Amino acid sequence: QVQLVESGGGWVQPGGSLRLSCAASGSIFRINGMGWYRQAPGKQRELVATITSYGSTNYSDSVKGRFTISRDNAKNTAYLQMNSLKPEDTAVYYCNGEIRSYSSYTTITYWGQGTQVTVSS
């Protein structure tokens, strides 16, 4: 059984910073790509950032230059450092991971339960 658990969300004023964490646990053989997505009320879930197992990153235009995705492969954990936050960054943030477990020959995309980020004054 594989689980992804996000943490680090909360309330912050515009211009502030937050760091989200996404820890994968369970019978993990290998984690390929990991990513962060977000969903604001009344909107579809959208890509925020992704990172490959080798550290290659990709960002949506709306967060480029403000957010940084990283990962610690030894800890099976991905991070999202969010700086210069804006009210429009308010959303539930989800992480996902392309994971092959010891019990499967296939890679499955797992999702966390989400963490709320609220940016307001």
Side-chain angles (χ1 to χ4, degrees):
Q1 188 76 358
V2 174
Q3 267 192 317
L4 295 180
V5 178
E6 301 101 334
S7 60
W11 172 84
V12 65
Q13 292 186 332
S17 299
L18 282 175
R19 189 191 193 210
L20 305 183
S21 298
C22 171
S25 63
S27 183
I28 296 171
F29 176 73
R30 183 177 63 239
I31 302 177
N32 295 331
M34 298 186 78
W36 288 95
Y37 294 73
R38 67 187 181 187
Q39 187 167 17
K43 295 188 176 181
Q44 292 199 345
R45 190 173 298 188
E46 63 174 2
L47 169 73
V48 176
T50 61
I51 185 167
T52 69
S53 58
Y54 299 102
S56 179
T57 60
N58 179 59
Y59 297 91
S60 69
D61 288 343
S62 61
V63 306
K64 204 171 292 183
R66 300 187 298 121
F67 291 10
T68 302
I69 188 171
S70 61
R71 63 190 285 174
D72 184 332
N73 290 332
K75 295 182 178 180
N76 290 335
T77 300
Y79 305 95
L80 186 68
Q81 177 66 44
M82 306 185 294
N83 298 328
S84 302
L85 282 159
K86 305 175 181 180
E88 51 263 42
D89 294 317
T90 296
V92 178
Y93 284 70
Y94 299 89
C95 73
N96 76 358
E98 301 166 348
I99 299 173
R100 178 181 166 185
S101 67
Y102 281 103
S103 61
S104 174
Y105 291 103
T106 61
T107 298
I108 299 171
T109 299
Y110 292 86
W111 288 86
Q113 82 289 349
T115 185
Q116 176 70 46
V117 171
T118 302
V119 185
S120 71
S121 53

